Amino acid sequence: MLTKRGWDAIVSIVSAVIAIALVFLFPPATAARTAIALAAIGLFVVGYALIGRDAIEPPRAAWRYPAFLSVAAVAAGIGAGAAPFMAMLQTLAYPLVWVIGDSRRRGIGGSAVIAGSVFVGASFGYGPSLDSLLAGGTTAVFSLSFAIAIGLWIARIAEYGEERERLLAELTAAQTEVEALSRERGASAERERLARDIHDTLAQTLAGLVIFAERAGRQSREGQTDAAATTIATVEQVARDALAESRALVARTAAVPREPAFGAAVERLIERFREHGTARIALDTAGVQGELDREAQVVLLRCLQEALSNVTKHAGAAKVTVRVEVGEEGAAVLEVRDDGRGFETSRPGSGFGLEGMRERVALAGGGFDVASTPGDGTTLTVRLPPVPHDAHGEAVPLTSVTTDDAAADAVRMKGDPA
């Protein structure tokens, strides 16, 4: 919609063009009629400047519409009565009536008033006759029909624009709400990830520290000084591990090494559980043919650590078999089988371990399965999909496992993965 300045320019230019054409191209029969016609143009311009202009944009005073309509109707009627060419004044009167009226009802009603005024002026300006009545009626009917059609069309466009503006505002508000929800979701996911990290690293190490400390205290009370010293040395090492793990959670800066470091990390992790557990642990890596993506290494190490911890704490197993397979395309399988007491998989667990592993594997796009029967051992299987590659043949990281996870484990893999 045009602003006040836009309408100022239009009214000024069109009025000047009508006045010039009236004087030089289509002059009335007498100079008096020319003067009356010019006065009608002046009346219209003054009415616009004093009344109509301030009603172009809201807020609009209620009295301005009928006042301007009256002035415009009088100017158009007097002008059309003085000179037939003055019917051109309708080109200004009709759109201004629609803009200032600001509704379909007022636009149509105002257009009818302008058309009726022009009809009266054109029909009786040179004296009533059949020809003047026909000419005035034809002009009024066609101009009124055109004005109503254009006015309704423009009103529809204006309403469509307002509707789009409203929808855009609603969309913007919805996007803002979605962004807020995404931030909340991201914060929740980060809290869950930190919970898994703490459970898989510090919590397990500190739990082992408590166990070894209790053992050292019991051995000391029983006079087993050599055994107590050995246990104290183990406590010291586990405490150092806890310190390294806490630093890893904070640092998250080192890059994850490739396959050789992963294999060494797996062996060190198993060796740790061999030293401090009673079960015999066998490692089978004959199926390793390709390289693992660094995020896949993180997932498998976490799951292996949690599985061996569960075996040590709950299974009472005598033998554990760990099998790692890595395909040429990067697909990986981790299987941990024990001959322990087993459990009922249909019963919900009270711990975070299995559920944390399941969520971690799901985030990596893999599959997680636990098969167990009371008294017949447990088999835990983790399957990770092949590593995708981009157009240049470079491995694309698993998007659902964050780089922070990988960085933390990289620091850990330099020392001890447990």
Side-chain angles (χ1 to χ4, degrees), residues 327-389:
E328 294 182 355
E329 296 181 354
V333 176
L334 169 67
E335 181 182 274
V336 180
R337 183 190 302 270
D338 68 74
D339 60 356
R341 60 176 59 95
F343 63 97
E344 186 64 49
T345 57
S346 60
R347 298 178 59 183
S350 58
F352 188 78
L354 290 179
E355 189 61 29
M357 282 192 285
R358 192 184 307 276
E359 291 179 3
R360 183 180 293 277
V361 174
L363 289 173
F368 179 83
D369 180 66
V370 177
S372 182
T373 302
D376 197 25
T378 302
T379 300
L380 181 147
T381 306
V382 175
R383 292 181 176 84
L384 297 182
V387 179
H389 292 77

Side-chain angles (χ1 to χ4, degrees), residues 4 149 180 205 399:
K4 291 181 180 180
T205 305
T399 56

